[in-house]
Structure formats: structure tokens, C-alpha cells
Amino acid sequence: MSIKFKQVSYIYAPDSPLEKKGLDNVNFELQNGTFTAIIGHTGSGKSTLMQHFNALLKPSSGQIEIAGTTITPETSNKNLKQLRRHVSLVFQFPEAQLFESTVLDDIAYGPKNFGYSEKEAKQVAQVWLKKVGLPDDIADKSPFDLSGGQMRRVAIAGVLAYEPEILCLDEPAAGLDPQARKQMMNLFVDYQKAGHTVILVTHNMDDVANYADDVLVMEHGQMIKHDKPQVIFDDRSWLKQHYLDEPQASLFASKLAGFKFAKQPLTAKDLVRGIKENIKG
Ligand SMILES: Nc1ncnc2c1ncn2[C@@H]1O[C@H](COP(=O)(O)OP(=O)(O)O)[C@@H](O)[C@H]1O
Ligand SMILES: [Mg+2]
């Protein structure tokens, strides 16, 4: 099974003076079980695209096939619970949506909503509390007494706890310090390795280089490229033309006058290997 977008367009406030194209004829196919990064400037349509994965927004035209469901402009809101059980969307700053009186209840909310018994929900909540790196003794605290980074982990644990097949994350690490961001990215990579599909909006090209199998590049509501990170980042003049950043390793390599790299280094590991080859050669 795969995820397919076929000629998907989305128009905000149609037939009004504020009409605005959010997505413009987007076509792609993603394989289940892969890690996809979505990149592009602010306003390019990344969040609009993300909201189509679980039909929070429905296309104005075109269709989407995902997790056994076909979403069209006519899809009724009534039949979406099953889809949302399988495809979960984590917004930017998900901690803003915490509301239960204890951390454990907040994490258990999603599982309960999708049919787990009270007891099962609390059990999985306990497991995921640990997996996201929160200390056990936090379980009975109010989520509002935690730090911002901890609150974010509680919110994400609440989604992972019912194990959606497809996890969509809109800039989940925005505003976190580098250590916390790395921990969070590792969590998502582990989730993918456990057999799930991960789709991530990010501005961090190092995360793209390190973790993504596939990259979708958005610009003005259009998907202007879909390829492997190596192919995207090899084409430095194309990146420049579209004002897109490069991974740190790639930038560093480009400043090493006289060094030649068989392929553009994308990660620290690639860079070290490339430098060694230059020194030996
Ligand atoms: N609720 C909305 N109403 C009208 N226009 C919107 C709305 N949300 C987003 N847009 C517009 O749609 C375009 C894509 O926005 P968005 O998907 O949020 O981009 P990104 O997530 O890449 O920053 C932008 O031009 C934005 O101004
Ligand atoms: Mg956005």
C-alpha cells in the first residue's frame, strides 16, 4: 500500500475576496514504512498539505488515497474516525492542546478515544511516558506544571500511544534546544523503524539529510520536487535558485577549496569519509 495524491488542489475561502490557493495540482506517491521530509519556505503550502493526510482539510479538487481510504471533495466528515485512527497529525506546538488534569490522563486520552479500555489506555500511557524520555514521577503531575519541552513530549506520547500507522508531524522540534531536538528526532526514527510511516515538515536540512528517505519540496502551493535527499542536495545551483538551505556538511565541504568529493557530503559521517579520501588520495 502507498499514499497517493492525485491532482490535489486546495483553495482557501473560495469565491470570496480572500480566495487563496493553498495547494496547486499536487501529485506524488509515498511508500508506506518510509520517512518523508517536507520542506519549503513559509507560506509554501506545507501545513495545508499536512492537513490533507487525515482529511482535516479536504481537497477542493483531486483525490487522496491513504490507509485504505479515498478522500475527495465529496468525502463526508462522518466516516473519518477510522482514517484518524490510522493517520495522526501532530500540529506545530502540540502542547497547546493539552487539557487533562494529569500527564497520564492526557497521554491516555487518545487511546481511550480510539477504543482502548480505561486500564489498557493507562498502561500504554505509562509505556509511552517512558519511551518519550519523561521520568515516571511526572505521571500524576498537571501537564501545565511541566517545561515547554516536556509538555511537547506529553502531547506526542498521547499520539504515539495508540500507534497510528502513519504519523504526520508539522515542525515538531520547532523551538527546542539541539539536545531535545535530537532526542525527539530519534523517537520518530525509532517509530519508523518499528514499521510505521513518518511524514515530517522541517526547516532543518541536517534532519532531512540524516533521516529522510524521500523529500517533497513545496513552493507557492506546488510540489516542485520529489526525490531522495542525495539527489536534492547534490544540485546546489537548483537549491540556490529556490533559496533553500543545505545541510551543514554540504556547506562545509563546499568551502574546502581544492578538495574533491565523489558525491556531495550530506552528514558529518559523509564529510569525514570524504576528507579522509582526499587526504589519502
Ligand atoms: N486559514 C487560511 N485562510 C486563508 N489562507 C490561508 C490559511 N492558511 C494558510 N493560508 C495561505 O495558504 C498558503 C500556504 O500556507 P501554509 O500551508 O500555512 O504554508 P506553510 O506551512 O508552508 O508555511 C499561504 O499563502 C497562506 O497565507
Ligand atoms: Mg506551516
Side-chain angles (χ1 to χ4, degrees), residues 46-47 92 170-171 201:
K46 303 179 300 295
S47 295
Q92 247 181 301
D170 197 346
E171 300 191 45
V201 171

Side-chain angles (χ1 to χ4, degrees), residues 12 20 41-48:
Y12 284 104
K20 169 96 208 174
H41 293 284
T42 301
S44 62
K46 303 179 300 295
S47 295
T48 307

Side-chain angles (χ1 to χ4, degrees), residues 30 81 86:
L30 303 176
K81 187 152 184 183
H86 296 303

Side-chain angles (χ1 to χ4, degrees), residues 78-92:
K78 276 192 219 140
N79 307 317
L80 295 177
K81 187 152 184 183
Q82 201 49 27
L83 173 69
R84 294 195 179 141
R85 167 75 187 81
H86 296 303
V87 186
S88 189
L89 172 61
V90 178
F91 292 97
Q92 247 181 301

Side-chain angles (χ1 to χ4, degrees), residues 34 37 40 83 105 132 145 167 173 184 235 264 273:
T34 54
L83 173 69
D105 283 341
V132 300
D145 291 336
L167 177 65
M184 194 157 280
D235 197 346
Q264 191 66 20
R273 193 184 314 122

